[in-house]
Amino acid sequence: MALRRIKADLHVHTCLSPCSGLDMSPREVVSAAIRKGVDLIGVCDHNSAENVLAVKKAGERNGLMVLGGMEVASSEEAHILVFFDDDDDLLGFQEYIYQNLVGRNDEHSFGLQVIADDEDGVTGFCDRLLIAATSLPAEAIVAKAREAKGESLVIAAHVDRESFSIIGQLGFIPPSLALDAVEVSAKMTASEVKERFPDCKNFPVITGSDAHCPDDIGRRFTWLTVEDGTAAEIKKALTGRDNRKAEC
């Protein structure tokens, strides 16, 4: 398969995330990404992957590549993006996260957590407190992701933010934390984040939209030169292997 340069937004939420709009349905997420010229999205709702398969189905029907994952909140309240090529790995990881997530959602305080199908039919509501931090330290989250049978991809989310980032919560990136990359938010460039936070010099840098509404999808993105949108190919791009590239 030939290499191609694709536009990737690896930080997109759906209506399952309580802080997202109800218009972030699987079909609308896919439609918005296509309108913005995005080739690949990473679906990463807070502490859950219950809408991933619906987005994948809608994406396949419309020619959009979809990588399934979630944005996990560690016990330190650091957010980590975790993706898997194999759906069974993702759902097994979700069960592990659920076992370490306490509390029930109050939809009046935090919003609805809608589970939908690929045609935007509502199939249920998640009553777990997805907005909360898990009881798992960042080291345990990364270690569990590495147990996957297929390829996994682990990225520290919005490292330049003062809150809910590994640097914001700990003040540094633990040397033993086996990250594949760090993500910078819309407020900073890759070069700026490496200058401000020296720990980031040890990792490839990507950027994504952290979209919670359709208009935000694709506002920040990373160019990837890859064969396809799998975690395995993205990992090659992040390290520059086999002529793959990642540019942001």
Side-chain angles (χ1 to χ4, degrees), residues 222-238:
T222 300
W223 288 110
L224 298 173
T225 301
V226 287
E227 285 188 352
D228 55 43
T230 61
E233 279 291 299
I234 294 169
K235 288 179 78 167
K236 286 184 179 182
L238 292 171

Side-chain angles (χ1 to χ4, degrees), residues 118-187:
D118 60 297
E119 294 287 355
D120 289 357
V122 175
T123 61
F125 299 89
C126 182
D127 66 353
R128 299 175 187 273
L129 190 58
L130 300 182
I131 201 69
T134 67
S135 60
L136 298 163
E139 295 275 6
I141 292 167
V142 176
K144 186 65 176 179
R146 298 308 185 198
E147 293 178 6
K149 294 179 181 178
E151 197 67 72
S152 61
L153 179 67
V154 183
I155 300 170
H158 37 64
V159 291
D160 55 308
R161 283 177 47 176
E162 293 184 3
S163 58
F164 304 122
S165 72
I166 192 73
I167 294 177
Q169 299 305 120
L170 299 182
F172 66 105
I173 301 176
S176 59
L177 199 62
L179 300 170
D180 294 306
V182 296
E183 178 201 46
V184 62
S185 76
K187 297 179 180 179

Side-chain angles (χ1 to χ4, degrees), residues 87-101:
D87 291 338
D88 288 338
D89 284 336
L90 174 59
L91 297 178
F93 183 78
Q94 175 184 261
E95 185 58 32
Y96 174 69
I97 295 302
Y98 279 178
Q99 291 169 2
N100 292 277
L101 184 66

Side-chain angles (χ1 to χ4, degrees), residues 10-247:
L10 295 178
H11 197 157
V12 176
H13 293 265
T14 78
C15 52
L16 177 60
S17 290
C19 45
S20 283
L22 296 180
D23 52 355
M24 287 293 275
S25 61
R27 188 169 64 176
E28 178 55 27
V29 164
V30 169
S31 296
I34 292 171
R35 290 196 302 269
K36 298 294 187 69
V38 175
D39 303 296
L40 167 68
I41 60 169
V43 177
C44 44
D45 284 307
H46 292 289
N47 294 317
S48 181
E50 293 200 48
N51 274 351
V52 165
L53 298 186
V55 180
K56 279 191 168 186
K57 191 173 181 180
E60 184 176 359
R61 190 169 60 243
N62 292 278
L64 177 75
M65 292 180 285
V66 178
L67 185 63
M70 62 177 71
E71 182 174 13
V72 184
S74 73
S75 58
E76 305 95 342
E77 296 193 339
H79 288 190
I80 302 171
L81 307 180
V82 183
F83 300 99
F84 299 90
D85 279 338
D86 188 287
D87 291 338
D88 288 338
D89 284 336
L90 174 59
L91 297 178
F93 183 78
Q94 175 184 261
E95 185 58 32
Y96 174 69
I97 295 302
Y98 279 178
Q99 291 169 2
N100 292 277
L101 184 66
V102 177
R104 297 293 169 183
N105 186 47
D106 179 351
E107 62 185 47
H108 299 292
S109 298
F110 304 115
L112 294 172
Q113 298 176 159
V114 181
I115 303 170
D117 62 25
D118 60 297
E119 294 287 355
D120 289 357
V122 175
T123 61
F125 299 89
C126 182
D127 66 353
R128 299 175 187 273
L129 190 58
L130 300 182
I131 201 69
T134 67
S135 60
L136 298 163
E139 295 275 6
I141 292 167
V142 176
K144 186 65 176 179
R146 298 308 185 198
E147 293 178 6
K149 294 179 181 178
E151 197 67 72
S152 61
L153 179 67
V154 183
I155 300 170
H158 37 64
V159 291
D160 55 308
R161 283 177 47 176
E162 293 184 3
S163 58
F164 304 122
S165 72
I166 192 73
I167 294 177
Q169 299 305 120
L170 299 182
F172 66 105
I173 301 176
S176 59
L177 199 62
L179 300 170
D180 294 306
V182 296
E183 178 201 46
V184 62
S185 76
K187 297 179 180 179
M188 197 171 290
T189 66
S191 58
E192 287 171 342
V193 79
K194 288 184 176 184
E195 183 174 345
R196 181 173 176 183
F197 305 107
D199 285 359
C200 292
K201 293 179 180 179
N202 299 321
F203 302 96
V205 179
I206 70 161
T207 189
S209 67
D210 195 4
H212 288 75
C213 65
D215 285 346
D216 284 344
I217 296 175
R219 283 193 173 177
R220 288 297 296 269
F221 59 88
T222 300
W223 288 110
L224 298 173
T225 301
V226 287
E227 285 188 352
D228 55 43
T230 61
E233 279 291 299
I234 294 169
K235 288 179 78 167
K236 286 184 179 182
L238 292 171
T239 55
R241 282 185 289 151
D242 300 331
N243 296 318
R244 276 69 169 175
K245 295 179 183 178
E247 308 161 82

